[in-house]
Amino acid sequence: MKKFIVCDIGKKHVIVFCPESREHYTISTEDFKYLDVPELCDGMTIVIEDAHLRSQEENSLAQTYQIDELKLFKEKADSRNIEILCFPQKVTPKTRKIASLEFPDLIDKTDCNDTESIAYYLEKFPHVFNSLKTFKPITLAEHEGSIKHIYEDRDVLTADSNEARNNNYGIKTDYSDEIVKFLKRYSLRLATLLPDDVREFAGLEWNSKKSALKNDPQKYTSDKFKFLYGVVNTIMTPSGKLRVRSDNGLPPYWKYTKKVFFGITPYHMKAGVTASNYKYHKRKAGSVCKKSMSLESKKAIQCVEDVYDIREARNESDKKLRTLWRTIRVMIVDEDRRG
């Protein structure tokens, strides 16, 4: 386990939580900038919500330091071999919810509760450290420039998805496009290429003789094709062209697709129609784990072990999606199979 502290940066003060001592400290933003922090030793890790680690622009409330101050902060940390990690701010409410299962008072939103809950979450799920971004001092303009292509690509995909959704993805309608044609022509071949568990995940079931699919792709009447349409749409556009990244003009690989199109990242949680369809209609509704992160639900989580179960089921679904997506990508991009 890393030795770390969690900090919340305010306008005039910084709240510091040290997991080892379970102590909170309040220090000035000036002291923090120079890493004059209680219990912070060389080689440790500082975890801070990502929104606080961008430069202040026009007296913004979430950011405290100017870009030059952030660069100084990073230089001081590097000189002491201190790692600074950015925790996704949108995940913080979930950490309070999880921590409150053992410490009920942590459910309320306060700076102290936020820092302690994040620490609790990282202690219970230490592999999360590997997913946190390393701090790099940037201005707001640089930050917006670095993610501009992500929103552009997602918006184009969403527009294509909405057009298909408004026509029920061609299922039991007169609507057709190159993705519909691809699914009619190649679903049988796709089924032969997938492992059994991934094939079932994709909604491609063999008949009793295993000689054909139960849902005949040629008839294209099953609602299960909606999910496959969404997956293919991240690789090929409805017009039959390869979907390419706007920043480099190349077809994306899984690492980009899972983050930008399917929203499988804590830093971009709202990722459009395709991500919503997968995360809430496929991954959640189709999960064998029916426990809920909503504390108001009748099936609400009761302990951290329940959260482990939810995460395990979610990760299993994501792995199946990855296998399905990569298989379809080979067919379309490498083998040039189109509608």
Side-chain angles (χ1 to χ4, degrees):
M1 170 68 74
K2 289 176 178 285
K3 287 191 174 183
F4 70 99
I5 61 173
V6 182
C7 303
D8 186 282
I9 304 174
K11 278 296 182 183
K12 295 182 179 180
H13 299 95
V14 176
I15 301 297
V16 179
F17 178 72
C18 302
E20 282 195 332
S21 66
R22 314 307 297 181
E23 290 288 339
H24 286 97
Y25 301 94
T26 301
I27 64 175
S28 70
T29 54
E30 190 71 9
D31 285 343
F32 185 72
K33 181 174 65 177
Y34 288 97
L35 294 180
D36 185 6
V37 180
E39 299 192 41
L40 178 64
C41 301
D42 293 0
M44 287 180 63
T45 295
I46 302 175
V47 179
I48 308 172
E49 286 182 324
D50 58 333
H52 298 304
L53 287 174
R54 293 192 290 273
S55 65
Q56 184 188 66
E57 309 280 344
E58 299 179 355
N59 199 33
S60 56
L61 296 177
Q63 292 81 38
T64 299
Y65 299 114
Q66 301 289 335
I67 185 62
D68 290 342
E69 294 177 297
L70 290 177
K71 291 178 178 179
L72 173 64
F73 178 55
K74 183 67 165 60
E75 290 173 3
K76 293 287 184 182
D78 290 346
S79 69
R80 296 177 55 183
N81 194 31
I82 291 173
E83 181 181 37
I84 304 172
L85 297 179
C86 307
F87 191 86
Q89 188 179 31
K90 293 181 180 179
V91 177
T92 302
K94 181 175 75 173
T95 69
R96 293 199 310 272
K97 190 180 298 183
I98 294 173
S100 72
L101 297 174
E102 186 173 346
F103 304 102
D105 290 344
L106 293 181
I107 192 65
D108 297 326
K109 177 169 177 52
T110 68
D111 292 342
C112 287
N113 283 356
D114 282 354
T115 53
E116 187 169 350
S117 296
I118 291 172
Y120 180 91
Y121 182 72
L122 292 172
E123 289 175 320
K124 296 298 182 181
F125 304 96
H127 62 278
V128 171
F129 276 109
N130 297 328
S131 68
L132 301 183
K133 294 181 180 179
T134 301
F135 168 59
K136 177 183 178 182
I138 57 173
T139 63
L140 177 61
E142 290 170 333
H143 170 69
E144 291 179 342
S146 69
I147 63 174
K148 180 181 178 182
H149 66 284
I150 291 177
Y151 289 101
E152 288 179 352
D153 292 349
R154 188 178 291 157
D155 287 346
V156 172
L157 176 69
T158 296
D160 288 342
S161 299
N162 284 335
E163 175 71 18
R165 183 174 61 174
N166 292 339
N167 289 280
N168 201 36
Y169 304 94
I171 299 168
K172 299 179 182 177
T173 70
D174 294 331
Y175 175 83
S176 184
D177 59 29
E178 295 304 310
I179 296 177
V180 173
K181 293 176 184 176
F182 173 88
L183 291 173
K184 288 181 176 180
R185 185 176 182 182
Y186 292 115
S187 287
L188 181 59
R189 173 173 173 75
L190 175 62
T192 65
L193 297 174
L194 296 172
D196 288 345
D197 60 337
V198 180
R199 178 176 45 75
E200 293 174 6
F201 170 80
L204 299 172
E205 301 177 62
W206 294 118
N207 61 15
S208 58
K209 296 181 180 180
K210 294 188 176 181
S211 58
L213 294 174
K214 283 185 179 180
N215 300 311
D216 187 351
Q218 293 301 316
K219 295 180 179 178
Y220 197 72
T221 57
S222 172
D223 282 344
K224 292 183 178 181
F225 285 110
K226 292 179 181 180
F227 170 60
L228 281 172
Y229 186 104
V231 176
V232 175
N233 195 24
T234 65
I235 303 168
M236 180 176 71
T237 69
S239 66
K241 297 180 180 179
L242 291 179
R243 191 170 296 282
V244 297
R245 294 172 50 160
S246 59
D247 60 337
N248 62 20
L250 299 174
Y253 287 93
W254 174 246
K255 183 177 180 180
Y256 186 83
T257 297
K258 74 173 184 178
K259 176 179 72 172
V260 176
F261 296 149
F262 289 108
I264 305 175
T265 168
Y267 295 97
H268 299 280
M269 303 181 75
K270 295 182 178 179
V273 174
T274 301
S276 177
N277 285 345
Y278 170 63
K279 292 196 289 186
Y280 301 107
H281 299 298
K282 181 65 175 178
R283 185 171 72 180
K284 185 176 181 179
S287 175
V288 296
C289 179
K290 299 305 179 183
K291 297 169 184 176
S292 174
M293 287 297 296
S294 172
L295 298 184
E296 290 73 35
S297 170
K298 293 181 179 179
K299 298 180 180 179
I301 52 174
Q302 301 295 319
C303 58
V304 172
E305 285 68 28
D306 288 344
V307 183
Y308 288 141
D309 291 342
I310 292 175
R311 290 177 66 91
E312 183 178 355
R314 184 193 67 186
N315 292 339
E316 184 64 24
S317 178
D318 292 346
K319 289 178 183 178
K320 291 176 182 177
L321 176 64
R322 179 184 63 190
T323 299
L324 173 63
W325 186 89
R326 285 176 169 170
T327 303
I328 295 175
R329 187 187 190 278
V330 168
M331 293 175 67
I332 294 174
V333 179
D334 298 343
E335 299 176 357
D336 199 28
R337 297 178 186 273
R338 313 286 178 89

PDB file of all heavy atoms in Angstrom, residues 158-170 175 177 179 229 233 238:
ATOM      1  N   THR A 158     -22.768  10.454 -31.143  1.00  0.00           N
ATOM      2  CA  THR A 158     -24.104  10.626 -30.574  1.00  0.00           C
ATOM      3  C   THR A 158     -25.121  11.009 -31.634  1.00  0.00           C
ATOM      4  O   THR A 158     -26.259  10.519 -31.626  1.00  0.00           O
ATOM      5  CB  THR A 158     -24.070  11.689 -29.459  1.00  0.00           C
ATOM      6  OG1 THR A 158     -23.238  11.214 -28.384  1.00  0.00           O
ATOM      7  CG2 THR A 158     -25.457  11.961 -28.912  1.00  0.00           C
ATOM      8  N   ALA A 159     -24.727  11.882 -32.562  1.00  0.00           N
ATOM      9  CA  ALA A 159     -25.633  12.280 -33.650  1.00  0.00           C
ATOM     10  C   ALA A 159     -26.015  11.067 -34.492  1.00  0.00           C
ATOM     11  O   ALA A 159     -27.191  10.872 -34.841  1.00  0.00           O
ATOM     12  CB  ALA A 159     -24.984  13.350 -34.514  1.00  0.00           C
ATOM     13  N   ASP A 160     -25.035  10.221 -34.813  1.00  0.00           N
ATOM     14  CA  ASP A 160     -25.308   9.005 -35.581  1.00  0.00           C
ATOM     15  C   ASP A 160     -26.194   8.051 -34.782  1.00  0.00           C
ATOM     16  O   ASP A 160     -27.104   7.419 -35.329  1.00  0.00           O
ATOM     17  CB  ASP A 160     -23.998   8.299 -35.950  1.00  0.00           C
ATOM     18  CG  ASP A 160     -23.205   9.043 -37.010  1.00  0.00           C
ATOM     19  OD1 ASP A 160     -23.797   9.897 -37.699  1.00  0.00           O
ATOM     20  OD2 ASP A 160     -21.996   8.770 -37.152  1.00  0.00           O
ATOM     21  N   SER A 161     -25.923   7.947 -33.488  1.00  0.00           N
ATOM     22  CA  SER A 161     -26.699   7.043 -32.623  1.00  0.00           C
ATOM     23  C   SER A 161     -28.151   7.498 -32.515  1.00  0.00           C
ATOM     24  O   SER A 161     -29.075   6.680 -32.542  1.00  0.00           O
ATOM     25  CB  SER A 161     -26.076   6.983 -31.228  1.00  0.00           C
ATOM     26  OG  SER A 161     -24.752   6.501 -31.274  1.00  0.00           O
ATOM     27  N   ASN A 162     -28.355   8.809 -32.389  1.00  0.00           N
ATOM     28  CA  ASN A 162     -29.718   9.338 -32.278  1.00  0.00           C
ATOM     29  C   ASN A 162     -30.519   9.083 -33.544  1.00  0.00           C
ATOM     30  O   ASN A 162     -31.720   8.767 -33.482  1.00  0.00           O
ATOM     31  CB  ASN A 162     -29.673  10.836 -31.974  1.00  0.00           C
ATOM     32  CG  ASN A 162     -29.303  11.119 -30.528  1.00  0.00           C
ATOM     33  OD1 ASN A 162     -29.512  10.287 -29.647  1.00  0.00           O
ATOM     34  ND2 ASN A 162     -28.756  12.296 -30.269  1.00  0.00           N
ATOM     35  N   GLU A 163     -29.882   9.241 -34.689  1.00  0.00           N
ATOM     36  CA  GLU A 163     -30.562   8.982 -35.961  1.00  0.00           C
ATOM     37  C   GLU A 163     -31.029   7.532 -36.021  1.00  0.00           C
ATOM     38  O   GLU A 163     -32.168   7.236 -36.395  1.00  0.00           O
ATOM     39  CB  GLU A 163     -29.610   9.274 -37.133  1.00  0.00           C
ATOM     40  CG  GLU A 163     -30.154   8.922 -38.507  1.00  0.00           C
ATOM     41  CD  GLU A 163     -31.273   9.852 -38.964  1.00  0.00           C
ATOM     42  OE1 GLU A 163     -31.407  10.954 -38.390  1.00  0.00           O
ATOM     43  OE2 GLU A 163     -32.007   9.460 -39.896  1.00  0.00           O
ATOM     44  N   ALA A 164     -30.148   6.618 -35.616  1.00  0.00           N
ATOM     45  CA  ALA A 164     -30.506   5.200 -35.645  1.00  0.00           C
ATOM     46  C   ALA A 164     -31.560   4.868 -34.593  1.00  0.00           C
ATOM     47  O   ALA A 164     -32.503   4.117 -34.853  1.00  0.00           O
ATOM     48  CB  ALA A 164     -29.253   4.348 -35.417  1.00  0.00           C
ATOM     49  N   ARG A 165     -31.420   5.458 -33.417  1.00  0.00           N
ATOM     50  CA  ARG A 165     -32.381   5.193 -32.344  1.00  0.00           C
ATOM     51  C   ARG A 165     -33.773   5.673 -32.726  1.00  0.00           C
ATOM     52  O   ARG A 165     -34.777   5.009 -32.431  1.00  0.00           O
ATOM     53  CB  ARG A 165     -31.924   5.878 -31.049  1.00  0.00           C
ATOM     54  CG  ARG A 165     -32.842   5.601 -29.857  1.00  0.00           C
ATOM     55  CD  ARG A 165     -32.290   6.174 -28.578  1.00  0.00           C
ATOM     56  NE  ARG A 165     -32.137   7.631 -28.638  1.00  0.00           N
ATOM     57  CZ  ARG A 165     -31.776   8.367 -27.607  1.00  0.00           C
ATOM     58  NH1 ARG A 165     -31.514   7.802 -26.442  1.00  0.00           N
ATOM     59  NH2 ARG A 165     -31.655   9.682 -27.725  1.00  0.00           N
ATOM     60  N   ASN A 166     -33.846   6.829 -33.378  1.00  0.00           N
ATOM     61  CA  ASN A 166     -35.144   7.357 -33.807  1.00  0.00           C
ATOM     62  C   ASN A 166     -35.822   6.453 -34.833  1.00  0.00           C
ATOM     63  O   ASN A 166     -37.041   6.543 -35.048  1.00  0.00           O
ATOM     64  CB  ASN A 166     -34.980   8.761 -34.389  1.00  0.00           C
ATOM     65  CG  ASN A 166     -34.591   9.782 -33.329  1.00  0.00           C
ATOM     66  OD1 ASN A 166     -34.813   9.567 -32.134  1.00  0.00           O
ATOM     67  ND2 ASN A 166     -33.987  10.872 -33.751  1.00  0.00           N
ATOM     68  N   ASN A 167     -35.037   5.574 -35.446  1.00  0.00           N
ATOM     69  CA  ASN A 167     -35.579   4.622 -36.421  1.00  0.00           C
ATOM     70  C   ASN A 167     -35.495   3.187 -35.903  1.00  0.00           C
ATOM     71  O   ASN A 167     -35.491   2.241 -36.688  1.00  0.00           O
ATOM     72  CB  ASN A 167     -34.827   4.750 -37.751  1.00  0.00           C
ATOM     73  CG  ASN A 167     -35.142   6.033 -38.483  1.00  0.00           C
ATOM     74  OD1 ASN A 167     -36.172   6.136 -39.146  1.00  0.00           O
ATOM     75  ND2 ASN A 167     -34.255   7.027 -38.366  1.00  0.00           N
ATOM     76  N   ASN A 168     -35.419   3.067 -34.559  1.00  0.00           N
ATOM     77  CA  ASN A 168     -35.381   1.760 -33.888  1.00  0.00           C
ATOM     78  C   ASN A 168     -34.260   0.870 -34.419  1.00  0.00           C
ATOM     79  O   ASN A 168     -34.396  -0.347 -34.488  1.00  0.00           O
ATOM     80  CB  ASN A 168     -36.723   1.032 -33.999  1.00  0.00           C
ATOM     81  CG  ASN A 168     -36.888  -0.040 -32.928  1.00  0.00           C
ATOM     82  OD1 ASN A 168     -36.439   0.136 -31.792  1.00  0.00           O
ATOM     83  ND2 ASN A 168     -37.499  -1.161 -33.285  1.00  0.00           N
ATOM     84  N   TYR A 169     -33.171   1.493 -34.831  1.00  0.00           N
ATOM     85  CA  TYR A 169     -31.986   0.786 -35.314  1.00  0.00           C
ATOM     86  C   TYR A 169     -32.305  -0.131 -36.498  1.00  0.00           C
ATOM     87  O   TYR A 169     -31.609  -1.116 -36.743  1.00  0.00           O
ATOM     88  CB  TYR A 169     -31.337  -0.015 -34.181  1.00  0.00           C
ATOM     89  CG  TYR A 169     -30.979   0.852 -32.998  1.00  0.00           C
ATOM     90  CD1 TYR A 169     -31.856   0.998 -31.918  1.00  0.00           C
ATOM     91  CD2 TYR A 169     -29.775   1.553 -32.956  1.00  0.00           C
ATOM     92  CE1 TYR A 169     -31.543   1.810 -30.830  1.00  0.00           C
ATOM     93  CE2 TYR A 169     -29.449   2.363 -31.872  1.00  0.00           C
ATOM     94  CZ  TYR A 169     -30.344   2.487 -30.820  1.00  0.00           C
ATOM     95  OH  TYR A 169     -30.037   3.291 -29.739  1.00  0.00           O
ATOM     96  N   GLY A 170     -33.377   0.194 -37.209  1.00  0.00           N
ATOM     97  CA  GLY A 170     -33.757  -0.593 -38.379  1.00  0.00           C
ATOM     98  C   GLY A 170     -34.536  -1.855 -38.056  1.00  0.00           C
ATOM     99  O   GLY A 170     -34.897  -2.614 -38.973  1.00  0.00           O
ATOM    100  N   TYR A 175     -36.173   1.347 -42.182  1.00  0.00           N
ATOM    101  CA  TYR A 175     -34.872   2.027 -42.119  1.00  0.00           C
ATOM    102  C   TYR A 175     -33.736   1.023 -42.332  1.00  0.00           C
ATOM    103  O   TYR A 175     -33.758  -0.105 -41.830  1.00  0.00           O
ATOM    104  CB  TYR A 175     -34.701   2.698 -40.758  1.00  0.00           C
ATOM    105  CG  TYR A 175     -33.340   3.319 -40.536  1.00  0.00           C
ATOM    106  CD1 TYR A 175     -33.034   4.581 -41.020  1.00  0.00           C
ATOM    107  CD2 TYR A 175     -32.343   2.632 -39.831  1.00  0.00           C
ATOM    108  CE1 TYR A 175     -31.789   5.154 -40.819  1.00  0.00           C
ATOM    109  CE2 TYR A 175     -31.091   3.196 -39.622  1.00  0.00           C
ATOM    110  CZ  TYR A 175     -30.817   4.450 -40.113  1.00  0.00           C
ATOM    111  OH  TYR A 175     -29.580   5.001 -39.904  1.00  0.00           O
ATOM    112  N   ASP A 177     -29.183   1.051 -43.048  1.00  0.00           N
ATOM    113  CA  ASP A 177     -27.922   1.744 -43.308  1.00  0.00           C
ATOM    114  C   ASP A 177     -26.836   0.683 -43.387  1.00  0.00           C
ATOM    115  O   ASP A 177     -27.114  -0.526 -43.326  1.00  0.00           O
ATOM    116  CB  ASP A 177     -27.630   2.807 -42.234  1.00  0.00           C
ATOM    117  CG  ASP A 177     -27.545   2.224 -40.821  1.00  0.00           C
ATOM    118  OD1 ASP A 177     -27.169   1.049 -40.673  1.00  0.00           O
ATOM    119  OD2 ASP A 177     -27.860   2.952 -39.861  1.00  0.00           O
ATOM    120  N   ILE A 179     -24.582  -0.207 -41.251  1.00  0.00           N
ATOM    121  CA  ILE A 179     -24.420  -1.002 -40.034  1.00  0.00           C
ATOM    122  C   ILE A 179     -25.476  -2.098 -39.982  1.00  0.00           C
ATOM    123  O   ILE A 179     -25.185  -3.249 -39.641  1.00  0.00           O
ATOM    124  CB  ILE A 179     -24.501  -0.108 -38.781  1.00  0.00           C
ATOM    125  CG1 ILE A 179     -23.336   0.880 -38.767  1.00  0.00           C
ATOM    126  CG2 ILE A 179     -24.490  -0.960 -37.509  1.00  0.00           C
ATOM    127  CD1 ILE A 179     -23.355   1.859 -37.605  1.00  0.00           C
ATOM    128  N   TYR A 229     -25.665  -3.021 -32.750  1.00  0.00           N
ATOM    129  CA  TYR A 229     -25.608  -1.826 -33.595  1.00  0.00           C
ATOM    130  C   TYR A 229     -24.740  -0.768 -32.923  1.00  0.00           C
ATOM    131  O   TYR A 229     -23.884  -0.149 -33.573  1.00  0.00           O
ATOM    132  CB  TYR A 229     -27.018  -1.276 -33.839  1.00  0.00           C
ATOM    133  CG  TYR A 229     -27.049  -0.121 -34.819  1.00  0.00           C
ATOM    134  CD1 TYR A 229     -27.487  -0.314 -36.120  1.00  0.00           C
ATOM    135  CD2 TYR A 229     -26.615   1.163 -34.449  1.00  0.00           C
ATOM    136  CE1 TYR A 229     -27.498   0.742 -37.042  1.00  0.00           C
ATOM    137  CE2 TYR A 229     -26.626   2.210 -35.353  1.00  0.00           C
ATOM    138  CZ  TYR A 229     -27.065   1.996 -36.647  1.00  0.00           C
ATOM    139  OH  TYR A 229     -27.066   3.044 -37.542  1.00  0.00           O
ATOM    140  N   ASN A 233     -21.271   0.726 -34.387  1.00  0.00           N
ATOM    141  CA  ASN A 233     -21.294   2.164 -34.681  1.00  0.00           C
ATOM    142  C   ASN A 233     -20.053   2.882 -34.163  1.00  0.00           C
ATOM    143  O   ASN A 233     -19.706   3.955 -34.658  1.00  0.00           O
ATOM    144  CB  ASN A 233     -22.558   2.785 -34.061  1.00  0.00           C
ATOM    145  CG  ASN A 233     -22.860   4.170 -34.598  1.00  0.00           C
ATOM    146  OD1 ASN A 233     -22.446   4.527 -35.696  1.00  0.00           O
ATOM    147  ND2 ASN A 233     -23.577   4.957 -33.814  1.00  0.00           N
ATOM    148  N   PRO A 238     -22.759   4.861 -39.936  1.00  0.00           N
ATOM    149  CA  PRO A 238     -23.915   4.342 -40.679  1.00  0.00           C
ATOM    150  C   PRO A 238     -23.764   4.448 -42.197  1.00  0.00           C
ATOM    151  O   PRO A 238     -24.431   3.718 -42.935  1.00  0.00           O
ATOM    152  CB  PRO A 238     -25.065   5.218 -40.179  1.00  0.00           C
ATOM    153  CG  PRO A 238     -24.648   5.627 -38.804  1.00  0.00           C
ATOM    154  CD  PRO A 238     -23.167   5.836 -38.902  1.00  0.00           C
TER     155      PRO A 238
END
